[in-house]
Amino acid sequence: MKVCLVALAILLITSCELPSIIEADQYIEPIPVNVSKNIPVADNVWDRIRIASESKQENLDEKTIDYINAYLKNPSQLDMLFEKGRYFIYFVLDELEKYSLPPELALLPYIESSYDPFSISSSGAMGIWQFMPATARIYGLEDTWWYEQRHDPLASSQAAVRYLAYLHNRFNKEITYTLAAYNGGPTLLEKQIKLNRKAGKPTNFENLKLPKQTKEYVPKFKAILELVLNAEKYGIILPNFPNKKVLGSIELDGQVEILSFSEFAGLKPEFVYKLNAGYTKWASPPGNKTTFNIPVELEEKLNSKKDQFIQTNQINWVTHKVSKGDSLWKIAEEFDTEVNILKK
């Protein structure tokens, strides 16, 4: 259903004056709170977002209207976009809840990566939250030959929510600034706010001199938020994402090949990789334990049979950096294997 919009008063984010900024050197890491009992009563994640949304009534700006109309021109593509969050958005909502953050921030990966854990930008940003390497290191995301946590949908979500909590507190819990800082960086945003204030100009988002990408980032988010908050108005049928846990896990001893595990679980390898996108090779990393994310309905069944799987599917892949003087025979002896296996 195509709906041509005109500017009118509906639910959206406010862009108020920023009364104060917490300086970076005064900042303290936000501490999660125990809010497991406070999850809004809702049948699905969309209602959960609507019920607890912190967005206010505001006129839709022209750029936001343009993005809304662009989404509405291709309903099937919009349906596919929303569907991509099925296995991750509930987890993100729970993480946001731990830090008392606005639940609508769970929509952010739709504009960052289309909720695609494999996503890689031209600048090297990765995963559903599009972490750059420097920010990933600050938030402890691991990057090895076997495992890239920026691709891991759950580990990266935990890190991203911590970062959002930092930004939200630093910019006085004003969501528009939180979004702008996430895209353009907090230092740049803070600088432009101070410059406007010094010049006696308004410091609301619309009046700040920011990069084009950041200026468009907030309207993109507002457009997705508007379509979720008022889906019925636009004739959109959102996918049925229950307001409950949809991902479970299984822990296996040792290193595991992805293909072998997918056969054991009765799942397509592509789907196993999607839920466990941090595993970037054909197997999990070498180590004592391997954890796989799986649909929660399979958790009990697969855990009851995992010992049988482990007995016949343990592997031990390791990596070796070839140095001067190495030979296949020397390496085979060092790792107690055979030359023909190394060649293969």
Side-chain angles (χ1 to χ4, degrees):
M1 174 183 178
K2 179 181 177 182
V3 178
C4 292
L5 297 175
V6 294
L8 68 162
I10 51 180
L11 285 174
L12 258 206
I13 302 168
T14 58
S15 295
C16 60
E17 288 286 312
L18 187 67
S20 62
I21 301 172
I22 298 174
E23 301 292 343
D25 59 0
Q26 298 174 333
Y27 179 73
I28 299 174
E29 171 79 11
I31 300 173
V33 294
N34 183 13
V35 291
S36 58
K37 304 295 184 182
N38 299 327
I39 296 175
V41 178
D43 292 333
N44 56 67
V45 300
W46 314 114
D47 284 343
R48 180 174 174 180
I49 291 171
R50 293 184 191 110
I51 291 169
S53 172
E54 295 185 8
S55 300
K56 308 298 181 184
Q57 285 195 341
E58 180 83 354
N59 287 340
L60 287 174
D61 60 271
E62 186 176 344
K63 180 63 72 172
T64 299
I65 292 172
D66 288 342
Y67 280 121
I68 291 173
N69 281 326
Y71 282 122
L72 294 174
K73 283 180 181 177
N74 197 331
S76 60
Q77 189 172 347
L78 183 61
D79 290 344
M80 287 190 290
L81 174 65
F82 281 126
E83 178 60 34
K84 289 181 178 180
R86 177 174 294 276
Y87 285 95
F88 310 130
I89 194 168
Y90 177 84
F91 180 86
V92 173
L93 280 168
D94 269 4
E95 290 300 307
L96 292 168
E97 191 91 22
K98 290 177 184 177
Y99 291 88
S100 300
L101 289 170
E104 52 265 49
L105 289 173
L107 303 176
L108 202 52
Y110 280 121
I111 62 170
E112 282 288 343
S113 64
S114 301
Y115 256 111
D116 179 6
F118 300 114
S119 179
I120 303 176
S121 75
S122 58
S123 61
M126 289 185 184
I128 65 175
W129 294 94
Q130 291 291 278
F131 266 107
M132 291 294 287
T135 312
R137 286 192 294 271
I138 291 170
Y139 284 87
L141 293 177
E142 184 181 344
D143 177 15
T144 69
W145 193 79
W146 291 95
Y147 186 33
E148 169 59 90
Q149 281 194 308
R150 285 189 290 165
H151 282 305
D152 185 313
L154 304 192
S156 66
S157 291
Q158 290 172 323
V161 169
R162 284 175 54 217
Y163 184 38
L164 286 168
Y166 162 76
L167 297 174
H168 205 53
N169 285 348
R170 180 170 173 177
F171 291 95
N172 202 41
K173 301 187 184 301
E174 211 293 311
I175 189 170
T176 305
Y177 295 109
T178 302
L179 295 167
Y182 188 86
N183 178 259
T187 303
L188 173 65
L189 179 63
E190 185 176 87
K191 177 184 176 182
Q192 296 309 124
I193 290 172
K194 288 180 176 179
L195 285 174
N196 274 30
R197 184 175 289 156
K198 186 176 180 180
K201 297 178 181 179
T203 58
N204 57 306
F205 170 78
E206 291 78 9
N207 286 279
L208 297 177
K209 186 178 180 180
L210 296 168
K212 183 174 184 289
Q213 183 189 61
T214 305
K215 295 294 282 187
E216 294 186 351
Y217 188 80
V218 173
K220 282 182 182 178
F221 177 83
K222 288 182 176 182
I224 286 289
L225 176 59
E226 168 62 14
L227 294 175
V228 168
L229 293 181
N230 296 290
E232 187 176 347
K233 168 184 173 180
Y234 299 107
I236 297 171
I237 300 176
L238 295 167
N240 182 24
F241 294 170
N243 186 30
K244 63 181 181 180
K245 181 180 177 181
V246 292
L247 277 182
S249 64
I250 181 171
E251 186 177 87
L252 302 167
D253 292 336
Q255 189 179 22
V256 180
E257 286 185 313
I258 305 296
L259 185 58
S260 297
F261 177 75
S262 67
E263 291 174 353
F264 163 68
L267 301 169
K268 291 182 178 180
E270 297 83 2
F271 183 54
V272 173
Y273 269 114
K274 178 180 179 179
L275 298 187
N276 302 276
Y279 298 157
T280 57
K281 300 299 186 288
W282 59 92
S284 62
N288 296 325
K289 298 290 182 183
T290 291
T291 300
F292 282 106
N293 299 317
I294 54 176
V296 70
E297 62 269 19
L298 297 179
E299 192 171 37
E300 183 177 352
K301 174 185 174 183
L302 296 183
N303 274 290
S304 69
K305 300 191 301 180
K306 69 178 184 180
D307 290 342
Q308 178 184 347
F309 171 77
I310 292 169
Q311 289 174 7
T312 57
N313 287 279
Q314 277 195 324
I315 61 169
N316 186 28
W317 287 94
V318 295
T319 57
H320 174 78
K321 186 176 182 179
V322 177
S323 304
K324 186 177 181 180
D326 272 347
S327 67
L328 290 178
W329 291 268
K330 182 180 177 181
I331 295 170
E333 182 179 22
E334 180 180 347
F335 290 99
D336 192 24
T337 186
E338 300 174 9
V339 171
N340 66 318
I341 292 176
L342 292 178
K343 288 181 176 179
K344 185 177 180 180

